[in-house]
Amino acid sequence: MTDDTVIEAPSTKDHKLGNEIIVCRDVKKWFGDFQALCGISTTVREREVVVIIGPSGSGKSTFLRTLNRLEPHDEGTIIIDGVELNNDLRNVEKIRSEVGIVFQQFNLFPHLTIERNISLALTHVRHLKKSAAKELVVSLLERVGIPEQIDKYPAQLSGGQQQRVAIARALAMQPKIMLFDEPTSALDPEMIKEVLDVMHELAESGMTMVVVTHEMGFAKGVADRIMFMDEGLIVEQGTPAEFFEAPKEDRTKLFLSQIL
Amino acid sequence: MEVSQIMTAASRPIAPSLPPHVVAYRWTRANLFSSPGNAVLTFVTVVILGFAAYQGSSFVFATAEWEIVETNRGLFFTGRFPRDEFWRIWIALHGIAALSGLSWRLWGSLNLRLPLIFAAACVPLYILMLEGWPLLWTSTCIATFGAAYFAAWPIRFSRFSETARNVTVGLWILGFAAAMLPTALYPSFLPGQGGLFSHVPDRQWGGLFLTMVLAGVGIGVAFPLGILLAVGRASTFPVIRIFCVAYIELIRAVTLVTILFMSFFILRLAVRHETSVLGIPITGYEVSVVFMAMLGLILFSAAYIAEIVRGGLQAVPRGQVEAGQALGLGGVQVLALIVLPQALRAVIPALVSQFISLFKDTSLVFILALTDLLAIARIAPAQPGFIGDHAEALIFVALIYWVVAFSMSRASQQLERNLGVGER
């Protein structure tokens, strides 16, 4: 399946997709002898929400992490907002400050208050004054629905609250793209919804998002495109309707039959 | 009050309404005489402890001749430091007292029980040591401490507390750099005579003063150096990593005594002979023995501190680094803002053990013929009139070592509590 068919596919949202903001060509990645990515080519357009699904070990998290170079790719090209990701540290730091990521394990800084967790990069990367940073922190915490937690430490919050702080922390840098690496997999079931709600709201606001998740409800309801990966390759992709109702590949059908 | 607290805590099943003597009876029965074997053990232990307490107190209060300490207090505290220059040390002590008072109020425990125990342990020192000028100066030191403590009283819980803490840390570092380092380097780098300050040869430094200078500078320099070595050992640059590994493993394979000997005799010989490059003398300096001892202690401790810090670095999850990188923070920022604060707080107990160890290791400088606190305790009983009063001198010195080591230990526990180790 080529990218063109995807882009021509009717969007489930009324907003229009913009220019290509992520361009990947034949991205390959090895861990020692094991090839994790076997040539990924795809593009993501502004305001598009792409959900990547696939069995564990399929390379979906690895692919996501190559997009802000937490995992350097070995071959191929990745261009984010017109800047190529390579060994040039200036490019990497520029892209990282424009691409937010939310991790499965939250990765909040346990020694800092919620306020400092969110404002750290504002004061040290964006060089904002403390007062300006604090204003932004307050508005972000209001956006994710937990402004009263500003002076607490991460360990004092529930998992769902921590993940919402992690989203606020990534949003603080005003990223053009948000990456989500299984953001609800480490959460207790009753906390999953509060995080998905925040992500849903974010998608509605027009954020470009690439999401690795097992939440099929979220994928069906929010995604513009589902991308199914297995063994380091994109097996099949399409709109949620196409993908869930009429999968073309046998592997996709097998996977869907196992999870649905 | 305290005894009953311990008992209720130890005998939870007993209802709190029981009269205290019943609680005490049941506690004793349950904990000391629960079986015939335990009863015998309790009895034997009580006899041994009682005998030791009786012997100890009869020595301390009856047999011991404490004149050796009273007469030689100058020696114990400063060695052969000239009396006319004592004011320098007193000025430094007043600065330390002021900063300590400030720090205690800004960080310290609000619980007064331990400070009182601590003060009680200091009383014998105070009574034995003081009359005349030292009494006056010590009193003004305590007054300075109190004044700083109460001056900082309203700040602790105000919105300026963070600023005040930062300023205090800055003052400590500044004071340390301004007082300790030049003092330490003075004999080797500044002209000896004339000017505002007359030269006090470092051979005349001694006693508690020398011990504290060695330990203070030792800890103050070895700690950052150890951090650098630990970070270097984790570096991705092979040259830096190999250098750090080689340094750490080499130093840890050598005894401190060897290093002290090496740093003094070999380095001293190396720079002593007149050598000049392009007419500029690069050697020919008379190197300070105190500086060399300090260098040896620093080089030695830094290797151990590096390994402790490395343990802390490994305890910080990889995800913390990734989260920092993903926000666009640079490598140094990730290290300084995210990794090191977590790594160091994870190893506070081990670090403080190392600091206490360094403090006690300073007594080894006697092999360079320096007269530190312990060396004075060995010299003093050789004086006519005090021949054989070894126990008195050693007990007194032991008390000082205990007071210092115990305060370091308490300070570290308070630090852990303030940082919320184990809770965050």
Side-chain angles (χ1 to χ4, degrees):
Chain A
M1 172 159 284
T2 65
D3 299 328
D4 291 343
T5 49
V6 172
I7 292 157
E8 284 161 12
S11 169
T12 54
K13 304 266 168 16
D14 42 15
H15 64 246
K16 281 215 147 181
L17 300 185
N19 300 322
E20 295 179 351
I21 192 164
I22 302 176
V23 179
C24 299
R25 279 193 220 105
D26 204 26
V27 174
K28 292 179 182 168
K29 164 85 188 167
W30 284 264
F31 292 110
D33 290 337
F34 173 71
Q35 187 167 9
L37 300 178
C38 308
I40 304 280
S41 299
T42 189
T43 54
V44 178
R45 298 174 62 178
E46 281 177 354
R47 294 188 288 280
E48 190 176 4
V49 177
V50 177
V51 169
I52 307 177
I53 62 175
S56 63
S58 60
K60 53 193 192 306
S61 279
T62 305
F63 172 60
L64 189 81
R65 288 157 56 85
T66 58
L67 296 180
N68 65 351
R69 214 172 171 76
L70 287 180
E71 303 287 359
H73 56 284
D74 298 315
E75 276 181 30
T77 41
I78 300 177
I79 297 166
I80 309 282
D81 199 21
V83 182
E84 187 179 351
L85 268 181
N86 49 29
N87 283 325
D88 189 336
L89 266 181
R90 282 166 305 175
N91 284 358
V92 172
E93 281 176 16
K94 181 177 186 303
I95 286 168
R96 279 178 177 161
S97 66
E98 289 181 5
V99 179
I101 185 164
V102 175
F103 301 91
Q104 181 178 353
Q105 300 295 340
F106 327 139
N107 292 350
L108 293 181
F109 307 129
H111 61 298
L112 299 176
T113 61
I114 299 307
E115 178 189 348
R116 284 301 285 154
N117 260 280
I118 300 174
S119 66
L120 189 71
L122 292 175
T123 51
H124 287 87
V125 179
R126 294 273 188 257
H127 304 291
L128 288 188
K129 287 223 173 73
K130 267 195 175 174
S131 53
K134 176 148 190 179
E135 270 175 42
L136 202 52
V137 170
V138 170
S139 71
L140 283 162
L141 283 176
E142 275 164 6
R143 187 169 174 188
V144 298
I146 40 174
E148 71 282 0
Q149 311 289 355
I150 187 163
D151 291 322
K152 293 200 178 154
Y153 284 86
Q156 297 169 307
L157 269 56
S158 72
Q161 290 172 330
Q162 289 192 47
Q163 193 60 299
R164 285 191 277 165
V165 172
I167 294 173
R169 179 176 71 178
L171 289 177
M173 298 299 285
Q174 291 169 326
K176 294 180 176 162
I177 302 165
M178 283 285 283
L179 309 175
F180 292 84
D181 189 0
E182 303 199 23
T184 56
S185 297
L187 293 176
D188 290 336
E190 74 270 21
M191 292 169 183
I192 290 177
K193 185 172 177 297
E194 66 189 54
V195 172
L196 291 181
D197 285 346
V198 171
M199 290 167 63
H200 197 143
E201 184 270 330
L202 198 57
E204 295 287 324
S205 74
M207 176 65 73
T208 310
M209 291 163 64
V210 181
V211 184
V212 172
T213 186
H214 298 297
E215 293 296 326
M216 293 304 144
F218 177 83
K220 279 179 190 164
V222 184
D224 297 304
R225 172 161 49 121
I226 311 281
M227 185 188 285
F228 175 63
M229 283 182 67
D230 193 17
E231 293 178 348
L233 284 168
I234 299 174
V235 176
E236 181 170 354
Q237 49 184 334
T239 62
E242 293 169 352
F243 184 84
F244 288 107
E245 305 307 324
K248 297 185 185 70
E249 302 289 326
D250 288 343
R251 265 190 290 178
T252 317
K253 287 174 191 164
L254 181 66
F255 179 75
L256 288 176
S257 72
Q258 281 163 343
I259 59 160
L260 291 179
Chain B
M1 164 83 183
E2 224 177 88
V3 174
S4 68
Q5 270 176 355
I6 293 166
M7 283 168 184
T8 35
S11 56
R12 204 165 294 143
I14 298 172
S17 58
L18 285 172
H21 68 273
V22 177
V23 175
Y25 172 75
R26 291 194 182 177
W27 184 89
T28 313
R29 179 110 189 230
N31 290 286
L32 300 178
F33 298 100
S34 58
S35 70
N38 275 353
V40 171
L41 209 60
T42 301
F43 182 72
V44 171
T45 311
V46 165
V47 168
I48 292 173
L49 286 180
F51 181 74
Y54 171 74
Q55 289 289 320
S57 56
S58 68
F59 175 79
V60 167
F61 294 111
T63 321
E65 292 166 354
W66 294 110
E67 288 83 8
I68 182 174
V69 175
E70 276 186 75
T71 314
N72 291 309
R73 54 169 174 258
L75 204 57
F76 276 108
F77 280 116
T78 53
R80 286 175 291 136
F81 201 86
R83 296 191 145 254
D84 291 344
E85 305 296 337
F86 273 1
W87 59 271
R88 297 185 196 176
I89 297 175
W90 283 115
I91 286 177
L93 282 178
H94 279 78
I96 292 170
L99 284 174
S100 303
L102 212 56
S103 307
W104 197 331
R105 179 57 196 159
L106 290 177
W107 282 280
S109 165
L110 302 173
N111 175 355
L112 287 179
R113 195 158 48 93
L114 276 163
L116 288 178
I117 295 174
F118 183 71
C122 293
V123 166
L125 297 178
Y126 196 74
I127 295 173
L128 269 177
M129 302 315 294
L130 297 173
E131 59 180 10
W133 283 105
L135 178 63
L136 178 71
W137 286 124
T138 310
S139 306
T140 56
C141 263
I142 293 170
T144 310
F145 178 89
Y149 183 87
F150 287 108
W153 184 270
I155 302 174
R156 169 81 180 252
F157 296 108
S158 76
R159 64 200 172 88
F160 301 112
S161 66
E162 198 185 332
T163 318
R165 286 178 174 191
N166 290 341
V167 169
T168 309
V169 169
L171 284 175
W172 272 114
I173 295 170
L174 210 68
F176 179 80
M180 292 286 236
L181 284 177
T183 316
L185 304 178
Y186 185 78
S188 51
F189 294 119
L190 293 176
Q193 301 291 334
L196 189 56
F197 300 108
S198 64
H199 178 54
V200 179
D202 61 339
R203 283 276 176 202
Q204 293 182 13
W205 300 12
L208 181 63
F209 167 65
L210 177 63
T211 297
M212 293 309 282
V213 167
L214 287 172
V217 177
I219 291 169
V221 179
F223 182 38
L225 191 62
I227 292 176
L228 282 181
L229 284 167
V231 170
R233 188 166 186 170
S235 166
T236 48
F237 296 102
V239 178
I240 297 176
R241 190 175 61 242
I242 290 167
F243 171 80
C244 292
V245 171
Y247 175 85
I248 291 167
E249 298 306 335
L250 183 74
I251 295 284
R252 291 205 305 163
V254 180
T255 63
L256 178 55
V257 171
T258 314
I259 291 177
L260 287 174
F261 262 121
M262 296 266 289
S263 65
F264 183 62
F265 290 105
I266 295 182
L267 282 179
R268 188 169 184 245
L269 286 179
V271 296
R272 205 175 194 182
H273 300 290
E274 299 278 351
T275 315
S276 56
V277 174
L278 303 172
I280 304 160
I282 56 162
T283 56
Y285 301 103
E286 188 62 38
V287 172
S288 153
V289 60
V290 170
F291 178 69
M292 282 307 174
M294 212 171 257
L295 195 66
L297 284 167
I298 289 167
L299 295 180
F300 182 76
S301 301
Y304 287 86
I305 290 170
E307 284 299 279
I308 293 172
V309 173
R310 186 166 72 98
L313 291 176
Q314 286 172 345
V316 178
R318 173 87 196 130
Q320 291 290 310
V321 177
E322 290 182 349
Q325 288 175 340
L327 288 168
L329 294 167
V332 177
Q333 288 177 321
V334 169
L335 193 66
L337 299 169
I338 297 168
V339 177
L340 271 181
Q342 295 183 56
L344 293 181
R345 99 180 33 191
V347 295
I348 288 173
L351 273 178
V352 174
S353 288
Q354 187 59 39
F355 291 164
I356 291 175
S357 180
L358 170 65
F359 165 66
K360 292 185 294 187
D361 283 347
T362 56
S363 57
L364 286 173
V365 298
F366 83 92
I367 62 161
L368 302 180
L370 285 171
T371 48
D372 73 300
L373 186 56
L374 190 62
I376 299 279
R378 292 149 49 93
I379 294 168
Q383 298 165 310
F386 304 116
I387 302 282
D389 291 351
H390 290 285
E392 288 84 349
L394 285 173
I395 288 174
F396 175 67
V397 164
L399 185 63
I400 296 180
Y401 273 109
W402 179 80
V403 164
V404 176
F406 182 68
S407 353
M408 286 161 84
S409 159
R410 298 310 308 187
S412 87
Q413 286 174 22
Q414 183 61 38
L415 185 67
E416 283 185 59
R417 222 167 295 138
N418 284 348
L419 295 175
V421 174
E423 291 158 33
R424 284 167 205 163

